[in-house]
Amino acid sequence: MASVAMTVNGKSVSGDVEGRTLLVDFLRNDLRLTGTHVGCDTSQCGACVVHVNGEAVKACTMFAVEADGAEVATIEGQANADGSLNVIQQAFQDHHGLQCGFCTPGMVMSAAALLKDNPKPTEGEIRAYLEGNICRCTGYHNIVKAIMAASGQDVATIAAE
């Protein structure tokens, strides 16, 4: 067993984990932050995307011990301080960027990372950035619209598919 301590969504947390415990399992099972989803266990789907020290990471590809001492942000920490949806979450709601919702936490976390690095991405840049996230319901069109809207851009320029 190994002891880990990190800051998750602004709160100090710690626990004892086996060396092989994945970050996604520590978040979901030990911390009960179940918004981070496990979709494929092979890093293909992106449902488990979180931010570690400000970088988007698939939490199924990282051991919890690797996050020892890190700042971790999950979907549970994305809302505004008053509990209202942040701009990205609101855009997903307003532009129907979700259906079943399973991929949504990873999509929102990926979108946040993209917009941090590229505040005004083009449609093509958004689509390229989301290549590591799989959605089986939406066809991505409304997800792209939501991210464009969250960046303050006109979504009318996105061609219907």
Side-chain angles (χ1 to χ4, degrees), residues 98-128:
L98 59 125
Q99 284 184 22
C100 83
F102 191 82
C103 72
T104 304
M107 290 285 188
V108 168
M109 297 304 290
S110 291
L114 169 62
L115 295 178
K116 181 186 86 164
D117 293 339
N118 183 355
K120 299 288 184 195
T122 65
E123 178 183 353
E125 289 170 331
I126 293 169
R127 289 183 184 280

Side-chain angles (χ1 to χ4, degrees), residues 91-99 103-104 107 135 138 142-143 146:
F92 268 69
Q93 182 178 11
D94 293 346
H95 295 279
H96 311 289
L98 59 125
Q99 284 184 22
C103 72
T104 304
M107 290 285 188
C135 176
T138 68
N142 288 340
I143 293 170

Side-chain angles (χ1 to χ4, degrees), residues 7-147:
T7 303
V8 179
N9 299 326
K11 296 178 183 167
S12 295
V13 300
S14 60
D16 293 323
V17 297
E18 292 184 33
R20 65 184 179 184
T21 301
L22 296 173
L23 179 58
V24 69
D25 293 323
F26 179 69
L27 294 170
R28 289 182 57 81
N29 301 331
D30 294 16
L31 302 182
R32 300 289 185 220
L33 297 173
T34 57
T36 302
H37 293 158
V38 178
C40 66
D41 283 329
T42 60
S43 79
Q44 301 295 312
C45 74
C48 66
V49 172
V50 298
H51 297 173
V52 177
N53 294 328
E55 298 296 321
V57 172
K58 291 181 179 178
C60 75
T61 65
M62 183 177 197
F63 293 115
V65 295
E66 292 178 287
D68 187 40
E71 296 272 339
V72 178
T74 70
I75 192 66
E76 289 89 351
Q78 296 305 295
N80 294 318
D82 66 0
S84 63
L85 299 178
N86 75 13
V87 67
I88 298 169
Q89 293 169 311
Q90 189 63 57
F92 268 69
Q93 182 178 11
D94 293 346
H95 295 279
H96 311 289
L98 59 125
Q99 284 184 22
C100 83
F102 191 82
C103 72
T104 304
M107 290 285 188
V108 168
M109 297 304 290
S110 291
L114 169 62
L115 295 178
K116 181 186 86 164
D117 293 339
N118 183 355
K120 299 288 184 195
T122 65
E123 178 183 353
E125 289 170 331
I126 293 169
R127 289 183 184 280
Y129 196 87
L130 294 179
E131 284 182 354
N133 294 75
I134 295 174
C135 176
R136 292 184 174 101
C137 300
T138 68
Y140 303 92
H141 182 71
N142 288 340
I143 293 170
V144 173
K145 280 175 55 175
I147 296 170

